[in-house]
């Protein structure tokens, strides 16, 4: 009598979750993909207006291509898609090819071992996983799984504007009032704010993208004011690696933001650590821990990164870095406190495995609170992880990917350093250039 084998549950139908399903099918394993949204890549759809800085050649997974090609689909090879184009031309067709293996409106609320809570050792590894699911209609389900791949990402858990990692005083009220948003605006959103004061909080690609969008409006509408708030005391690597970045569009993104500052379209304020978001006459006023207050703003866009949602993993034994909440074995590679010279090693199953055998965190969530995650990183991760689940140790241990260098040195370890020392000892970034900094006054 043949014993039925439990499926492999994949949490999230984003780029890495769908790729994991394709690899599982190719290995003869049965995947169930659980997606909380009502369509594949629902998180990507929320930033569908944003153009990726990775080219098409780095945005499709090999096993997924092999699954799709018999349907008449052909991989795009030219250009840089927007999020919406990524969905339309690749992710949606992939989800359709996976068929009913993808279940929508299925939110995972807990993962554990059958009959064993977190504290129980005896027989733990021999028990299947149990995945608790809440459906969109309010019903509940409990799915037994032979392995679990968490590809749920971080998009729905953005970091707050508050400098201590907690929402600033009044941040929730400002969000409810529509004055503060944790997203990147589309050009239509920016146009609607023409002639007004807009604040951007954050240091990274999302912040630079937001600055680029807003500055396009400021060029046309000189009365538009943009304030860019950095927590760190130095400009440091805010503008990225420029021509040293091996992804040209990523390097160009930071340089466009830099030109907007140099051209006077953006007032850059450093060392501003938000303590409060006060509401005044229908506008938001950011107040720093040192007492500085920005001028009232019609809108505040917060781009301070993301963090993993670990709430549904309380019954899974995890080994996570205490700072980044990323798997401990890869944390040193991606830690912005110590990361140097932009080069990040590709990671595989051995780096991602947890003390709970058969459970893996992949995709953006595997980087925890660290930035710089790329789609091709996730595709290599799921290839290796699925090989490990299938028992192919040789393939699991082989890492074929070399990631492109960012061209940036140093990290937030230089949090309070003056500009002159922020690039001292730089091994790869271009020489710093002076720019005009704002003082963050209310004038």
């Amino acid at each position: 009598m043949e014993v039925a084998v439990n499926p492999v549950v994949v949490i999230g139908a984003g780029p890495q979750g769908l790729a994991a399903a394709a690899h599982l099918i190719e290995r003869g394993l049965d995947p169930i993909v659980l997606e909380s949204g009502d369509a594949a890549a629902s998180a990507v759809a929320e930033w569908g207006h944003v153009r990726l800085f990775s080219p098409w050649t780095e945005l499709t997974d090999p096993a997924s291509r092999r699954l799709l090609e018999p349907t008449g689909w052909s991989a795009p090879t030219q250009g840089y898609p927007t999020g919406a184009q990524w969905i339309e031309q690749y992710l949606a067709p992939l989800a359709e090819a996976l068929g009913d293996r993808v279940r929508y409106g299925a939110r995972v609320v807990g993962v554990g071992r059958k009959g064993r809570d977190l504290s129980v050792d005896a027989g733990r590894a021999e028990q299947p996983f149990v995945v608790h699911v809440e459906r969109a209609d309010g019903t509940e389900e409990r799915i037994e799984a032979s392995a679990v791949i968490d590809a749920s990402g971080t998009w729905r858990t953005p970091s707050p504007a508050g400098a201590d990692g907690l929402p600033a005083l009044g941040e929730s009220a400002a969000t409810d009032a529509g004055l503060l948003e944790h997203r990147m605006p589309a050009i239509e959103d920016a146009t609607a704010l023409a002639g007004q004061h807009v604040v951007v909080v954050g240091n990274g690609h999302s912040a630079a993208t937001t600055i680029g969008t807003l500055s396009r409006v400021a060029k046309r509408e000189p009365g538009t004011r943009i304030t860019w708030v950095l927590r760190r005391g130095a400009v440091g690597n805010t503008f990225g690696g420029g021509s040293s970045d091996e992804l040209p569009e990523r390097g160009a993104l930071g340089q466009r933001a830099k030109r907007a500052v140099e051209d006077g379209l953006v007032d850059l304020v450093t060392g501003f650590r938000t303590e409060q978001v006060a509401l005044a006459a229908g506008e938001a006023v950011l107040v720093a821990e040192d007492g500085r207050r920005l001028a009232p703003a019609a809108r505040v866009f917060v781009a301070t990164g993301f963090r993993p949602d670990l709430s549904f993993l309380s019954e899974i034994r995890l080994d996570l870095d205490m700072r980044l909440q990323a798997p401990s074995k890869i944390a040193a590679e991606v830690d912005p406190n110590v990361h140097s010279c932009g080069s990040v090693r590709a990671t595989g199953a051995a780096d991602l495995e947890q003390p709970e055998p058969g459970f893996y965190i992949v995709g953006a969530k595997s980087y925890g609170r660290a930035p710089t995650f790329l789609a091709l990183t996730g595709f290599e991760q799921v290839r290796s992880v699925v090989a490990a689940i299938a028992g192919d140790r040789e393939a699991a241990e082989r890492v074929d990917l070399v990631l492109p260098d960012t061209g940036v040195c140093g990290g937030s370890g230089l949090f309070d350093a003056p500009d002159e020392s922020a690039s001292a000892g730089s091994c790869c970034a271009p020489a710093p250039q002076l720019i005009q900094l704002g003082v963050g006054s209310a004038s």
Side-chain angles (χ1 to χ4, degrees), residues 314-336:
S314 62
E315 296 304 312
I316 291 293
R317 296 181 176 183
L318 301 173
D319 179 16
L320 302 179
D321 180 76
M322 64 181 178
R323 292 168 295 184
L324 299 185
Q325 298 174 303
S328 294
K329 292 178 183 177
I330 70 169
E333 285 288 328
V334 299
D335 189 347

Side-chain angles (χ1 to χ4, degrees), residues 216-227:
R216 287 168 59 189
V217 174
K219 285 181 181 179
R220 301 194 306 263
E221 301 285 346
T224 307
R225 294 181 56 196
I226 306 169
T227 301

Side-chain angles (χ1 to χ4, degrees), residues 163-329:
D164 47 18
L166 301 170
L169 300 176
E171 183 169 350
S172 296
T175 301
D176 292 342
L179 297 174
L180 185 146
E181 301 183 60
H182 298 86
R183 69 180 182 94
M184 293 174 282
I187 188 62
E188 294 80 8
D189 303 315
T191 300
L193 294 166
Q196 302 180 77
H197 180 215
V198 183
V199 173
V200 179
V201 181
N203 175 63
H205 301 125
S206 295
T209 298
T210 300
I211 289 296
T213 302
L214 293 169
S215 62
R216 287 168 59 189
V217 174
K219 285 181 181 179
R220 301 194 306 263
E221 301 285 346
T224 307
R225 294 181 56 196
I226 306 169
T227 301
W228 188 0
V229 172
L230 304 183
R231 292 171 179 168
R232 62 181 63 187
V235 175
N237 59 18
T238 295
F239 302 123
S243 60
S244 298
D245 194 320
E246 292 180 0
L247 284 177
E249 286 301 308
R250 183 172 61 185
L253 179 67
Q255 294 306 295
R256 286 193 291 269
K258 181 174 182 286
R259 284 195 297 273
V261 174
E262 292 174 334
D263 292 345
L265 298 172
V266 176
D267 186 21
L268 185 62
V269 180
T270 61
F272 192 101
R273 295 162 196 174
T274 305
E275 177 182 87
Q276 181 181 6
V277 183
L279 303 184
E283 294 188 299
V285 177
L286 266 61
V287 183
E289 293 175 342
D290 60 10
R292 283 182 292 167
R293 300 171 69 92
L294 298 184
R299 194 71 48 86
V300 178
F301 291 105
V302 179
T304 50
F306 300 87
R307 55 187 59 177
D309 178 7
L310 303 173
S311 62
F312 59 89
L313 301 180
S314 62
E315 296 304 312
I316 291 293
R317 296 181 176 183
L318 301 173
D319 179 16
L320 302 179
D321 180 76
M322 64 181 178
R323 292 168 295 184
L324 299 185
Q325 298 174 303
S328 294
K329 292 178 183 177

Side-chain angles (χ1 to χ4, degrees), residues 364-378:
K365 191 171 183 175
S366 72
Y367 274 33
R369 298 188 181 206
T372 72
F373 183 80
L374 297 173
L376 75 172
T377 300

Side-chain angles (χ1 to χ4, degrees), residues 387-398:
I389 292 172
D392 187 347
R393 296 306 305 180
E394 186 278 329
E397 292 169 3
R398 186 181 70 247

Side-chain angles (χ1 to χ4, degrees), residues 369-390:
R369 298 188 181 206
T372 72
F373 183 80
L374 297 173
L376 75 172
T377 300
F379 296 151
E380 175 65 9
Q381 287 179 341
V382 298
R383 181 205 63 78
S384 176
V385 162
V386 170
I389 292 172

Side-chain angles (χ1 to χ4, degrees), residues 83-130:
Q85 291 168 334
W86 198 17
I87 294 173
E88 179 184 1
Q89 299 179 48
Y90 168 60
L91 297 172
L94 177 56
E96 184 177 355
L98 292 168
D100 59 9
R101 297 181 181 92
V102 185
R103 301 182 184 178
Y104 301 106
R107 185 168 68 92
V108 174
V109 296
V111 182
R113 287 283 188 181
K114 186 177 182 179
R116 306 289 191 274
D117 69 21
L118 187 68
S119 65
V120 177
D121 288 338
R124 185 178 188 85
E126 288 72 44
Q127 295 301 311
F129 289 95
V130 286

